[in-house]
Amino acid sequence: MITKKKTETYALGQHISMSAHKARRVIDQIRGRSYEETLMILELMPYRACYSIFKLVYSAAANASYNMGSDETNLIISKAEVNEGTTVKKLKPRARGRSFPIKRPTCHITIGVKDISLDEYEDEFMTRINESVYNKSRGGIWGKK
């Protein structure tokens, strides 16, 4: 039985107090880039969302090095998504007994990092299995005439 190795690890930040639209503006810049390049981009961008995303990327890399023994130079950002969270609703008192609603949006950010060195090894292993099993000259499964 062949089992697929897990090559992705995730870090999840929930109830971060900023709108999902503002966080997506930063997430779209880092999706698919290497880990070191991502940290450099996040340090130099002038948005408030960068700090929270920087901590999540750093946490995802720490998860990958602890759980899979990955080196940080081989990591890429494979999955980066932002979902809307709950909206905190408050009432601000105004003049003449009226109230004004205040809505504070939150978001959930998921960062997934993938180790490309493990992925290459797994692809090489699978191609060797496919060549040996399905090769007609060796009389594999499909070797019937």
Side-chain angles (χ1 to χ4, degrees):
M1 179 180 195
I2 300 170
T3 58
K4 187 173 181 181
K5 283 183 110 178
K6 186 178 176 188
T7 60
E8 272 191 356
T9 50
Y10 297 97
L12 179 66
Q14 291 186 327
H15 305 291
I16 297 171
S17 71
M18 73 181 68
S19 70
H21 180 72
K22 291 177 183 177
R24 276 192 200 108
R25 179 172 53 183
V26 177
I27 286 288
D28 290 338
Q29 299 295 321
I30 66 166
R31 191 176 289 121
R33 296 188 188 258
S34 69
Y35 170 71
E36 294 168 343
E37 187 179 1
T38 299
L39 293 184
M40 194 167 32
I41 288 171
L42 290 174
E43 284 178 358
L44 297 175
M45 285 180 84
Y47 302 117
R48 192 186 79 151
C50 292
Y51 180 69
S52 301
I53 295 170
F54 180 86
K55 291 198 318 185
L56 282 171
V57 168
Y58 194 77
S59 175
N63 290 343
S65 67
Y66 182 76
N67 294 337
M68 297 187 304
S70 302
D71 189 25
E72 293 175 348
T73 56
N74 297 327
L75 296 177
I76 60 167
I77 308 298
S78 63
K79 179 182 179 183
E81 66 179 25
V82 179
N83 297 320
E84 289 185 7
T86 57
T87 302
V88 178
K89 296 175 181 121
K90 297 180 182 177
L91 292 175
K92 182 169 182 156
R94 302 299 290 203
R96 303 177 76 178
R98 296 190 177 106
S99 62
F100 184 75
I102 296 175
K103 296 179 182 175
R104 300 213 39 191
T106 62
C107 65
H108 306 314
I109 302 174
T110 305
I111 302 288
V113 293
K114 187 177 205 176
D115 192 348
I116 54 175
S117 66
L118 293 177
D119 197 34
E120 290 172 1
Y121 171 75
E122 186 177 42
D123 289 341
E124 177 186 329
F125 178 70
M126 290 305 290
T127 54
R128 269 194 273 142
I129 288 175
N130 289 339
E131 286 173 1
S132 64
V133 171
Y134 297 113
N135 196 351
K136 288 184 180 180
S137 64
R138 289 189 179 174
I141 295 174
W142 308 107
K144 299 177 183 175
K145 291 187 178 180

